Amino acid sequence: MLYALCFLLFVIGLYCAVVKKNMVKIVLGIVVMEYAVNLFLIMLGYRIGGIAPIAGPGDVEHGQMTAGFINASVDPLPQAIVLTSIVIGLGSLALMVSICIRIHEKYGTFDITEIRRLKG
Amino acid sequence: MAEVILFYFLMAFILIAALIAVETTDLLSAVICVGAIGFGCALFFLFLRAPDIAITQIVVEVLALVILIRVTISRNATFVTGDREFFASVVSVVILMMIFLMAVQVLNSLPAFGDAVFAEVTDSASKTYISQGMEKTGAANIVSAVILDFRAYDTLGEATVLFTSVIGAAVILRKRPRKLPEEPQI
């Protein structure tokens, strides 16, 4: 059910990116989709009653992790990958926004249906 | 169980914020609602036992809000006019609903929420990271062990992508055009 709600968030973002005419709205839709995907990946690694994948002083015995830690920790791999994805999302957002600013300077509008003609 | 109820509340908050962000006609309100989604996600990550992601999400969200407010504020066109043609909108909504229904079928085949997928795979990479990460890298935080040691090339690629996009934004936003080289005298 939570997975489906997460996908609903993705679909809302997709709707915003596909239907809206305003360029900034399209950028916001893409950002919302990104959040949905990040959230879904983290959700996949969650276990109920789990602990963060950070070892405390009681979790190590003779240089080995205790079985309690191994069996309770949530998945560290999606967390590491999503960390990368969030930062890359910021980079792509900056690029999209700069393109929006440039188009607004050139055409004086954010409406993509009015930006049809080429201006050299 | 109380946690799952909390997750539903957070998810409802995020979905309401997303709907307002999509449907409002004021661009600044839409940007602020996207900020609400981002901070809701940060809370969600915190309760999903991912503190590193939560911290990164908060930092990135603040930067993203600053960037987005920069594009919306001080433009005279902050109000959105209308949607695209009615027929096209209806067709896209129908297609999106179909995608959603199909995806729900697929998501039902996943293990239920709260049963980690990786725990059911024998010899999964995540298990190796958890059980041997500290011994092999010396980092108590397994996530930083993964991003900085096991998958360091991934982080290098991330930094490359980030700087490339920053260079791209700088090139696009440059005011003065580059000076053309002078014509050679013949």
Side-chain angles (χ1 to χ4, degrees):
Chain A
M1 187 62 186
L2 270 172
Y3 292 151
L5 287 177
C6 204
F7 194 79
L8 186 63
L9 185 63
F10 182 85
V11 172
I12 289 173
L14 194 57
Y15 166 80
C16 189
V18 168
V19 172
K20 296 295 171 185
K21 273 202 302 191
N22 193 300
M23 264 190 307
V24 179
K25 274 289 180 74
I26 293 172
V27 172
L28 293 185
I30 294 170
V31 170
V32 170
M33 280 155 68
E34 208 180 275
Y35 288 156
V37 171
N38 290 342
L39 203 53
F40 177 70
L41 286 176
I42 296 287
M43 271 184 188
L44 274 182
Y46 178 70
R47 25 164 90 148
I48 286 177
I51 55 174
I54 299 173
D59 292 326
V60 187
E61 278 177 1
H62 315 298
Q64 297 278 331
M65 306 311 260
T66 57
F69 179 76
I70 293 174
N71 290 326
S73 166
V74 299
D75 197 346
L77 186 52
Q79 296 192 13
I81 303 302
V82 165
L83 206 65
T84 310
S85 150
I86 288 175
V87 177
I88 287 178
L90 181 68
S92 64
L93 174 73
L95 199 57
M96 285 189 289
V97 162
S98 59
I99 291 173
C100 283
I101 291 174
R102 203 73 182 145
I103 290 178
H104 190 273
E105 277 175 7
K106 214 168 179 69
Y107 294 91
T109 178
F110 278 135
D111 193 336
I112 56 166
T113 53
E114 289 175 22
I115 307 166
R116 289 187 187 281
R117 63 198 187 283
L118 286 172
K119 265 186 182 176
Chain B
M1 208 55 216
E3 268 187 339
V4 178
I5 295 168
L6 180 73
F7 289 154
Y8 277 110
F9 271 112
L10 273 175
M11 201 74 218
F13 171 75
I14 290 174
L15 283 174
I16 290 169
L19 281 177
I20 295 174
V22 170
E23 284 307 325
T24 184
T25 53
D26 187 7
L27 275 186
L28 198 56
S29 318
V31 167
I32 290 167
C33 284
V34 168
I37 301 172
F39 286 116
C41 279
L43 263 183
F44 216 127
F45 291 146
L46 200 58
F47 285 111
L48 285 171
R49 308 288 188 274
D52 307 271
I53 312 288
I55 295 167
T56 316
Q57 174 77 29
I58 288 174
V59 173
V60 164
E61 188 56 44
V62 170
L63 281 175
L65 270 182
V66 170
I67 293 172
L68 279 170
I69 287 176
R70 165 73 182 82
V71 70
T72 51
I73 216 160
S74 80
R75 303 252 180 263
N76 45 11
T78 52
F79 281 90
V80 185
T81 43
D83 287 350
R84 291 192 191 183
E85 297 81 14
F86 180 72
F87 182 69
S89 304
V90 169
V91 169
S92 21
V93 168
V94 169
I95 292 175
L96 287 176
M97 279 183 68
M98 279 168 58
I99 292 174
F100 179 68
L101 290 177
M102 285 191 279
V104 167
Q105 300 294 319
V106 175
L107 293 174
N108 279 337
S109 69
L110 283 175
F113 177 76
D115 307 340
V117 181
F118 77 104
E120 293 170 16
V121 183
T122 52
D123 250 7
S124 66
S126 309
K127 274 183 187 166
T128 315
Y129 292 152
I130 292 173
S131 58
Q132 296 171 23
M134 186 163 178
E135 177 184 356
K136 285 190 172 168
T137 65
N141 188 342
I142 311 290
V143 175
S144 57
V146 172
I147 59 171
L148 293 179
D149 201 302
F150 289 113
R151 297 185 181 227
Y153 279 122
D154 197 28
T155 311
L156 180 66
E158 168 205 334
T160 314
V161 171
L162 192 64
F163 279 104
T164 311
S165 70
V166 167
I167 290 170
V171 167
I172 290 170
L173 286 178
R174 189 174 52 199
K175 288 282 182 217
R176 264 181 326 126
R178 196 158 42 106
K179 239 185 220 168
L180 291 172
E182 291 186 9
E183 291 279 320
Q185 300 285 333
I186 302 168

mmCIF file of all heavy atoms in Angstrom, chain B residues 118-163:
data_model
loop_
_atom_site.group_PDB
_atom_site.id
_atom_site.type_symbol
_atom_site.label_atom_id
_atom_site.label_comp_id
_atom_site.label_asym_id
_atom_site.label_seq_id
_atom_site.Cartn_x
_atom_site.Cartn_y
_atom_site.Cartn_z
ATOM 1 N N PHE B 118 16.312 -7.476 0.558
ATOM 2 C CA PHE B 118 17.658 -8.045 0.516
ATOM 3 C C PHE B 118 17.819 -9.208 1.495
ATOM 4 O O PHE B 118 18.685 -10.055 1.331
ATOM 5 C CB PHE B 118 18.699 -6.963 0.793
ATOM 6 C CG PHE B 118 18.834 -6.590 2.245
ATOM 7 C CD1 PHE B 118 19.901 -7.044 2.982
ATOM 8 C CD2 PHE B 118 17.891 -5.787 2.869
ATOM 9 C CE1 PHE B 118 20.042 -6.698 4.299
ATOM 10 C CE2 PHE B 118 18.040 -5.447 4.191
ATOM 11 C CZ PHE B 118 19.106 -5.897 4.907
ATOM 12 N N ALA B 119 16.946 -9.250 2.535
ATOM 13 C CA ALA B 119 17.096 -10.303 3.528
ATOM 14 C C ALA B 119 16.698 -11.659 2.958
ATOM 15 O O ALA B 119 17.113 -12.693 3.486
ATOM 16 C CB ALA B 119 16.248 -9.982 4.753
ATOM 17 N N GLU B 120 15.884 -11.640 1.873
ATOM 18 C CA GLU B 120 15.430 -12.905 1.321
ATOM 19 C C GLU B 120 16.358 -13.431 0.239
ATOM 20 O O GLU B 120 16.188 -14.547 -0.234
ATOM 21 C CB GLU B 120 14.013 -12.740 0.773
ATOM 22 C CG GLU B 120 13.042 -12.473 1.908
ATOM 23 C CD GLU B 120 11.682 -12.055 1.419
ATOM 24 O OE1 GLU B 120 11.413 -12.258 0.223
ATOM 25 O OE2 GLU B 120 10.921 -11.537 2.226
ATOM 26 N N VAL B 121 17.310 -12.622 -0.187
ATOM 27 C CA VAL B 121 18.259 -13.056 -1.201
ATOM 28 C C VAL B 121 19.466 -13.652 -0.486
ATOM 29 O O VAL B 121 20.023 -13.021 0.407
ATOM 30 C CB VAL B 121 18.687 -11.870 -2.080
ATOM 31 C CG1 VAL B 121 19.609 -12.317 -3.181
ATOM 32 C CG2 VAL B 121 17.482 -11.160 -2.618
ATOM 33 N N THR B 122 19.854 -14.845 -0.867
ATOM 34 C CA THR B 122 21.051 -15.399 -0.253
ATOM 35 C C THR B 122 22.271 -14.742 -0.881
ATOM 36 O O THR B 122 22.299 -14.490 -2.089
ATOM 37 C CB THR B 122 21.131 -16.914 -0.497
ATOM 38 O OG1 THR B 122 20.978 -17.137 -1.891
ATOM 39 C CG2 THR B 122 20.060 -17.637 0.261
ATOM 40 N N ASP B 123 23.253 -14.426 -0.062
ATOM 41 C CA ASP B 123 24.507 -13.865 -0.554
ATOM 42 C C ASP B 123 24.328 -12.517 -1.231
ATOM 43 O O ASP B 123 25.009 -12.231 -2.218
ATOM 44 C CB ASP B 123 25.152 -14.832 -1.565
ATOM 45 C CG ASP B 123 26.400 -15.435 -0.961
ATOM 46 O OD1 ASP B 123 26.611 -15.188 0.230
ATOM 47 O OD2 ASP B 123 27.129 -16.137 -1.670
ATOM 48 N N SER B 124 23.410 -11.688 -0.740
ATOM 49 C CA SER B 124 23.238 -10.391 -1.391
ATOM 50 C C SER B 124 24.380 -9.465 -0.995
ATOM 51 O O SER B 124 25.034 -9.657 0.034
ATOM 52 C CB SER B 124 21.903 -9.770 -0.992
ATOM 53 O OG SER B 124 21.912 -9.474 0.373
ATOM 54 N N ALA B 125 24.620 -8.468 -1.854
ATOM 55 C CA ALA B 125 25.737 -7.550 -1.599
ATOM 56 C C ALA B 125 25.521 -6.798 -0.301
ATOM 57 O O ALA B 125 26.464 -6.552 0.457
ATOM 58 C CB ALA B 125 25.867 -6.578 -2.765
ATOM 59 N N SER B 126 24.249 -6.445 -0.036
ATOM 60 C CA SER B 126 23.972 -5.681 1.179
ATOM 61 C C SER B 126 24.382 -6.445 2.423
ATOM 62 O O SER B 126 24.934 -5.873 3.369
ATOM 63 C CB SER B 126 22.487 -5.366 1.250
ATOM 64 O OG SER B 126 22.061 -4.803 0.058
ATOM 65 N N LYS B 127 24.133 -7.770 2.420
ATOM 66 C CA LYS B 127 24.508 -8.566 3.597
ATOM 67 C C LYS B 127 26.013 -8.546 3.799
ATOM 68 O O LYS B 127 26.496 -8.433 4.924
ATOM 69 C CB LYS B 127 24.036 -10.007 3.402
ATOM 70 C CG LYS B 127 22.608 -10.229 3.839
ATOM 71 C CD LYS B 127 22.277 -11.688 3.658
ATOM 72 C CE LYS B 127 20.821 -11.948 3.908
ATOM 73 N NZ LYS B 127 20.435 -13.268 3.414
ATOM 74 N N THR B 128 26.739 -8.649 2.681
ATOM 75 C CA THR B 128 28.194 -8.592 2.791
ATOM 76 C C THR B 128 28.638 -7.257 3.370
ATOM 77 O O THR B 128 29.518 -7.208 4.234
ATOM 78 C CB THR B 128 28.823 -8.792 1.411
ATOM 79 O OG1 THR B 128 28.170 -9.874 0.775
ATOM 80 C CG2 THR B 128 30.292 -9.081 1.526
ATOM 81 N N TYR B 129 28.028 -6.167 2.879
ATOM 82 C CA TYR B 129 28.415 -4.855 3.383
ATOM 83 C C TYR B 129 28.154 -4.758 4.874
ATOM 84 O O TYR B 129 28.971 -4.233 5.628
ATOM 85 C CB TYR B 129 27.628 -3.756 2.660
ATOM 86 C CG TYR B 129 27.975 -3.597 1.215
ATOM 87 C CD1 TYR B 129 27.044 -3.113 0.318
ATOM 88 C CD2 TYR B 129 29.241 -3.912 0.752
ATOM 89 C CE1 TYR B 129 27.352 -2.969 -1.008
ATOM 90 C CE2 TYR B 129 29.560 -3.770 -0.580
ATOM 91 C CZ TYR B 129 28.617 -3.295 -1.462
ATOM 92 O OH TYR B 129 28.917 -3.145 -2.767
ATOM 93 N N ILE B 130 26.969 -5.265 5.302
ATOM 94 C CA ILE B 130 26.639 -5.126 6.725
ATOM 95 C C ILE B 130 27.575 -5.963 7.582
ATOM 96 O O ILE B 130 28.112 -5.503 8.593
ATOM 97 C CB ILE B 130 25.171 -5.538 6.970
ATOM 98 C CG1 ILE B 130 24.232 -4.534 6.318
ATOM 99 C CG2 ILE B 130 24.877 -5.596 8.448
ATOM 100 C CD1 ILE B 130 22.805 -4.953 6.377
ATOM 101 N N SER B 131 27.830 -7.218 7.143
ATOM 102 C CA SER B 131 28.566 -8.104 8.044
ATOM 103 C C SER B 131 30.069 -7.857 7.987
ATOM 104 O O SER B 131 30.746 -8.052 8.993
ATOM 105 C CB SER B 131 28.249 -9.562 7.691
ATOM 106 O OG SER B 131 28.584 -9.811 6.359
ATOM 107 N N GLN B 132 30.590 -7.424 6.826
ATOM 108 C CA GLN B 132 32.042 -7.278 6.723
ATOM 109 C C GLN B 132 32.500 -5.854 6.469
ATOM 110 O O GLN B 132 33.699 -5.607 6.312
ATOM 111 C CB GLN B 132 32.565 -8.166 5.596
ATOM 112 C CG GLN B 132 32.333 -9.622 5.893
ATOM 113 C CD GLN B 132 32.639 -10.485 4.702
ATOM 114 O OE1 GLN B 132 33.387 -10.095 3.834
ATOM 115 N NE2 GLN B 132 32.056 -11.667 4.657
ATOM 116 N N GLY B 133 31.541 -4.907 6.397
ATOM 117 C CA GLY B 133 31.919 -3.537 6.055
ATOM 118 C C GLY B 133 32.888 -2.927 7.045
ATOM 119 O O GLY B 133 33.891 -2.337 6.658
ATOM 120 N N MET B 134 32.606 -3.117 8.327
ATOM 121 C CA MET B 134 33.455 -2.477 9.318
ATOM 122 C C MET B 134 34.832 -3.117 9.363
ATOM 123 O O MET B 134 35.859 -2.434 9.469
ATOM 124 C CB MET B 134 32.795 -2.581 10.684
ATOM 125 C CG MET B 134 33.544 -1.807 11.730
ATOM 126 S SD MET B 134 32.561 -1.539 13.161
ATOM 127 C CE MET B 134 33.742 -0.669 14.163
ATOM 128 N N GLU B 135 34.824 -4.439 9.218
ATOM 129 C CA GLU B 135 36.090 -5.158 9.282
ATOM 130 C C GLU B 135 36.987 -4.791 8.093
ATOM 131 O O GLU B 135 38.211 -4.656 8.223
ATOM 132 C CB GLU B 135 35.710 -6.636 9.262
ATOM 133 C CG GLU B 135 36.790 -7.629 9.257
ATOM 134 C CD GLU B 135 36.184 -9.021 9.131
ATOM 135 O OE1 GLU B 135 34.934 -9.155 9.124
ATOM 136 O OE2 GLU B 135 36.962 -9.945 9.014
ATOM 137 N N LYS B 136 36.367 -4.575 6.917
ATOM 138 C CA LYS B 136 37.173 -4.336 5.722
ATOM 139 C C LYS B 136 37.563 -2.881 5.555
ATOM 140 O O LYS B 136 38.593 -2.585 4.951
ATOM 141 C CB LYS B 136 36.406 -4.806 4.486
ATOM 142 C CG LYS B 136 36.410 -6.309 4.368
ATOM 143 C CD LYS B 136 35.872 -6.765 3.047
ATOM 144 C CE LYS B 136 36.071 -8.257 2.902
ATOM 145 N NZ LYS B 136 35.330 -8.813 1.781
ATOM 146 N N THR B 137 36.714 -1.956 5.996
ATOM 147 C CA THR B 137 37.017 -0.546 5.767
ATOM 148 C C THR B 137 37.323 0.216 7.040
ATOM 149 O O THR B 137 37.894 1.298 6.982
ATOM 150 C CB THR B 137 35.834 0.150 5.079
ATOM 151 O OG1 THR B 137 34.725 0.143 5.985
ATOM 152 C CG2 THR B 137 35.430 -0.554 3.819
ATOM 153 N N GLY B 138 36.891 -0.268 8.170
ATOM 154 C CA GLY B 138 37.142 0.448 9.408
ATOM 155 C C GLY B 138 36.148 1.559 9.677
ATOM 156 O O GLY B 138 36.336 2.332 10.610
ATOM 157 N N ALA B 139 35.079 1.653 8.864
ATOM 158 C CA ALA B 139 34.080 2.702 9.082
ATOM 159 C C ALA B 139 32.895 2.111 9.835
ATOM 160 O O ALA B 139 32.350 1.093 9.440
ATOM 161 C CB ALA B 139 33.616 3.266 7.744
ATOM 162 N N ALA B 140 32.499 2.781 10.930
ATOM 163 C CA ALA B 140 31.359 2.279 11.689
ATOM 164 C C ALA B 140 30.055 2.532 10.938
ATOM 165 O O ALA B 140 29.101 1.788 11.079
ATOM 166 C CB ALA B 140 31.309 2.941 13.058
ATOM 167 N N ASN B 141 30.031 3.602 10.137
ATOM 168 C CA ASN B 141 28.844 3.902 9.352
ATOM 169 C C ASN B 141 28.924 3.136 8.036
ATOM 170 O O ASN B 141 29.771 3.409 7.183
ATOM 171 C CB ASN B 141 28.796 5.410 9.095
ATOM 172 C CG ASN B 141 27.508 5.829 8.453
ATOM 173 O OD1 ASN B 141 26.795 5.000 7.905
ATOM 174 N ND2 ASN B 141 27.212 7.096 8.526
ATOM 175 N N ILE B 142 28.022 2.144 7.870
ATOM 176 C CA ILE B 142 28.136 1.276 6.694
ATOM 177 C C ILE B 142 27.853 2.053 5.408
ATOM 178 O O ILE B 142 28.437 1.774 4.364
ATOM 179 C CB ILE B 142 27.165 0.092 6.834
ATOM 180 C CG1 ILE B 142 27.295 -0.572 8.193
ATOM 181 C CG2 ILE B 142 27.412 -0.936 5.752
ATOM 182 C CD1 ILE B 142 28.537 -1.324 8.409
ATOM 183 N N VAL B 143 26.958 3.057 5.492
ATOM 184 C CA VAL B 143 26.641 3.817 4.277
ATOM 185 C C VAL B 143 27.873 4.559 3.775
ATOM 186 O O VAL B 143 28.195 4.538 2.591
ATOM 187 C CB VAL B 143 25.485 4.798 4.559
ATOM 188 C CG1 VAL B 143 25.232 5.663 3.355
ATOM 189 C CG2 VAL B 143 24.232 4.044 4.911
ATOM 190 N N SER B 144 28.619 5.179 4.701
ATOM 191 C CA SER B 144 29.817 5.878 4.233
ATOM 192 C C SER B 144 30.876 4.885 3.810
ATOM 193 O O SER B 144 31.670 5.186 2.906
ATOM 194 C CB SER B 144 30.348 6.822 5.311
ATOM 195 O OG SER B 144 30.609 6.104 6.473
ATOM 196 N N ALA B 145 30.866 3.691 4.409
ATOM 197 C CA ALA B 145 31.794 2.663 3.922
ATOM 198 C C ALA B 145 31.477 2.302 2.479
ATOM 199 O O ALA B 145 32.385 2.113 1.660
ATOM 200 C CB ALA B 145 31.699 1.419 4.804
ATOM 201 N N VAL B 146 30.170 2.229 2.141
ATOM 202 C CA VAL B 146 29.810 1.860 0.769
ATOM 203 C C VAL B 146 30.159 2.980 -0.189
ATOM 204 O O VAL B 146 30.772 2.756 -1.238
ATOM 205 C CB VAL B 146 28.311 1.513 0.683
ATOM 206 C CG1 VAL B 146 27.896 1.316 -0.748
ATOM 207 C CG2 VAL B 146 28.011 0.268 1.481
ATOM 208 N N ILE B 147 29.772 4.238 0.139
ATOM 209 C CA ILE B 147 29.977 5.284 -0.870
ATOM 210 C C ILE B 147 31.432 5.692 -0.992
ATOM 211 O O ILE B 147 31.852 6.134 -2.051
ATOM 212 C CB ILE B 147 29.112 6.538 -0.619
ATOM 213 C CG1 ILE B 147 29.409 7.156 0.726
ATOM 214 C CG2 ILE B 147 27.658 6.268 -0.795
ATOM 215 C CD1 ILE B 147 28.744 8.503 0.888
ATOM 216 N N LEU B 148 32.214 5.554 0.063
ATOM 217 C CA LEU B 148 33.587 6.037 -0.016
ATOM 218 C C LEU B 148 34.609 4.926 -0.212
ATOM 219 O O LEU B 148 35.764 5.212 -0.474
ATOM 220 C CB LEU B 148 33.939 6.830 1.242
ATOM 221 C CG LEU B 148 33.173 8.141 1.379
ATOM 222 C CD1 LEU B 148 33.552 8.848 2.646
ATOM 223 C CD2 LEU B 148 33.440 9.029 0.199
ATOM 224 N N ASP B 149 34.194 3.661 -0.051
ATOM 225 C CA ASP B 149 35.197 2.615 -0.217
ATOM 226 C C ASP B 149 34.764 1.562 -1.232
ATOM 227 O O ASP B 149 35.404 1.389 -2.259
ATOM 228 C CB ASP B 149 35.469 1.967 1.140
ATOM 229 C CG ASP B 149 36.802 1.263 1.156
ATOM 230 O OD1 ASP B 149 36.975 0.371 0.309
ATOM 231 O OD2 ASP B 149 37.645 1.585 1.997
ATOM 232 N N PHE B 150 33.634 0.878 -0.952
ATOM 233 C CA PHE B 150 33.225 -0.188 -1.871
ATOM 234 C C PHE B 150 32.856 0.381 -3.242
ATOM 235 O O PHE B 150 33.156 -0.211 -4.268
ATOM 236 C CB PHE B 150 32.029 -0.943 -1.302
ATOM 237 C CG PHE B 150 32.354 -1.792 -0.129
ATOM 238 C CD1 PHE B 150 31.861 -1.509 1.112
ATOM 239 C CD2 PHE B 150 33.176 -2.891 -0.285
ATOM 240 C CE1 PHE B 150 32.159 -2.307 2.193
ATOM 241 C CE2 PHE B 150 33.487 -3.696 0.793
ATOM 242 C CZ PHE B 150 32.975 -3.404 2.034
ATOM 243 N N ARG B 151 32.154 1.503 -3.240
ATOM 244 C CA ARG B 151 31.702 2.076 -4.511
ATOM 245 C C ARG B 151 32.243 3.481 -4.677
ATOM 246 O O ARG B 151 31.524 4.427 -5.001
ATOM 247 C CB ARG B 151 30.181 2.064 -4.556
ATOM 248 C CG ARG B 151 29.669 0.656 -4.519
ATOM 249 C CD ARG B 151 28.218 0.522 -4.682
ATOM 250 N NE ARG B 151 27.899 -0.897 -4.601
ATOM 251 C CZ ARG B 151 27.120 -1.521 -5.449
ATOM 252 N NH1 ARG B 151 26.556 -0.875 -6.430
ATOM 253 N NH2 ARG B 151 26.884 -2.796 -5.304
ATOM 254 N N ALA B 152 33.547 3.630 -4.489
ATOM 255 C CA ALA B 152 34.136 4.963 -4.547
ATOM 256 C C ALA B 152 34.078 5.520 -5.960
ATOM 257 O O ALA B 152 33.940 6.727 -6.143
ATOM 258 C CB ALA B 152 35.581 4.916 -4.054
ATOM 259 N N TYR B 153 34.161 4.650 -6.970
ATOM 260 C CA TYR B 153 34.097 5.149 -8.348
ATOM 261 C C TYR B 153 32.746 5.761 -8.642
ATOM 262 O O TYR B 153 32.634 6.706 -9.421
ATOM 263 C CB TYR B 153 34.380 4.018 -9.341
ATOM 264 C CG TYR B 153 35.846 3.752 -9.509
ATOM 265 C CD1 TYR B 153 36.390 2.513 -9.246
ATOM 266 C CD2 TYR B 153 36.685 4.769 -9.934
ATOM 267 C CE1 TYR B 153 37.729 2.279 -9.385
ATOM 268 C CE2 TYR B 153 38.035 4.553 -10.076
ATOM 269 C CZ TYR B 153 38.552 3.305 -9.809
ATOM 270 O OH TYR B 153 39.877 3.089 -9.945
ATOM 271 N N ASP B 154 31.704 5.221 -7.997
ATOM 272 C CA ASP B 154 30.370 5.776 -8.140
ATOM 273 C C ASP B 154 30.343 7.213 -7.633
ATOM 274 O O ASP B 154 29.793 8.115 -8.276
ATOM 275 C CB ASP B 154 29.409 4.895 -7.331
ATOM 276 C CG ASP B 154 27.990 5.122 -7.712
ATOM 277 O OD1 ASP B 154 27.776 5.510 -8.875
ATOM 278 O OD2 ASP B 154 27.110 4.909 -6.881
ATOM 279 N N THR B 155 30.976 7.438 -6.491
ATOM 280 C CA THR B 155 31.023 8.789 -5.926
ATOM 281 C C THR B 155 31.839 9.717 -6.805
ATOM 282 O O THR B 155 31.498 10.890 -6.972
ATOM 283 C CB THR B 155 31.612 8.718 -4.510
ATOM 284 O OG1 THR B 155 30.933 7.686 -3.802
ATOM 285 C CG2 THR B 155 31.420 10.010 -3.784
ATOM 286 N N LEU B 156 32.914 9.169 -7.388
ATOM 287 C CA LEU B 156 33.710 9.984 -8.321
ATOM 288 C C LEU B 156 32.850 10.394 -9.509
ATOM 289 O O LEU B 156 32.867 11.559 -9.948
ATOM 290 C CB LEU B 156 34.913 9.176 -8.795
ATOM 291 C CG LEU B 156 35.846 9.874 -9.771
ATOM 292 C CD1 LEU B 156 36.518 11.037 -9.091
ATOM 293 C CD2 LEU B 156 36.863 8.916 -10.310
ATOM 294 N N GLY B 157 32.061 9.444 -10.031
ATOM 295 C CA GLY B 157 31.174 9.764 -11.147
ATOM 296 C C GLY B 157 30.145 10.805 -10.752
ATOM 297 O O GLY B 157 29.826 11.702 -11.532
ATOM 298 N N GLU B 158 29.646 10.692 -9.526
ATOM 299 C CA GLU B 158 28.676 11.675 -9.040
ATOM 300 C C GLU B 158 29.273 13.070 -9.041
ATOM 301 O O GLU B 158 28.649 14.030 -9.509
ATOM 302 C CB GLU B 158 28.236 11.277 -7.626
ATOM 303 C CG GLU B 158 27.461 12.331 -6.903
ATOM 304 C CD GLU B 158 27.578 12.165 -5.396
ATOM 305 O OE1 GLU B 158 27.807 11.030 -4.959
ATOM 306 O OE2 GLU B 158 27.442 13.164 -4.691
ATOM 307 N N ALA B 159 30.508 13.176 -8.518
ATOM 308 C CA ALA B 159 31.156 14.493 -8.477
ATOM 309 C C ALA B 159 31.353 15.019 -9.885
ATOM 310 O O ALA B 159 31.155 16.217 -10.154
ATOM 311 C CB ALA B 159 32.486 14.383 -7.744
ATOM 312 N N THR B 160 31.712 14.102 -10.829
ATOM 313 C CA THR B 160 31.892 14.533 -12.210
ATOM 314 C C THR B 160 30.602 15.088 -12.791
ATOM 315 O O THR B 160 30.589 16.151 -13.417
ATOM 316 C CB THR B 160 32.359 13.337 -13.056
ATOM 317 O OG1 THR B 160 33.391 12.677 -12.372
ATOM 318 C CG2 THR B 160 32.854 13.798 -14.399
ATOM 319 N N VAL B 161 29.489 14.355 -12.555
ATOM 320 C CA VAL B 161 28.211 14.804 -13.080
ATOM 321 C C VAL B 161 27.828 16.149 -12.484
ATOM 322 O O VAL B 161 27.357 17.060 -13.174
ATOM 323 C CB VAL B 161 27.131 13.748 -12.797
ATOM 324 C CG1 VAL B 161 25.765 14.285 -13.121
ATOM 325 C CG2 VAL B 161 27.383 12.505 -13.584
ATOM 326 N N LEU B 162 28.062 16.295 -11.177
ATOM 327 C CA LEU B 162 27.702 17.542 -10.500
ATOM 328 C C LEU B 162 28.466 18.720 -11.096
ATOM 329 O O LEU B 162 27.877 19.747 -11.445
ATOM 330 C CB LEU B 162 28.007 17.396 -9.009
ATOM 331 C CG LEU B 162 27.438 18.490 -8.129
ATOM 332 C CD1 LEU B 162 25.938 18.443 -8.188
ATOM 333 C CD2 LEU B 162 27.897 18.311 -6.718
ATOM 334 N N PHE B 163 29.791 18.537 -11.266
ATOM 335 C CA PHE B 163 30.565 19.657 -11.795
ATOM 336 C C PHE B 163 30.228 19.929 -13.255
ATOM 337 O O PHE B 163 30.217 21.081 -13.690
ATOM 338 C CB PHE B 163 32.062 19.401 -11.608
ATOM 339 C CG PHE B 163 32.512 19.725 -10.222
ATOM 340 C CD1 PHE B 163 32.763 18.735 -9.301
ATOM 341 C CD2 PHE B 163 32.634 21.045 -9.820
ATOM 342 C CE1 PHE B 163 33.148 19.033 -8.020
ATOM 343 C CE2 PHE B 163 33.014 21.357 -8.534
ATOM 344 C CZ PHE B 163 33.274 20.347 -7.633
#
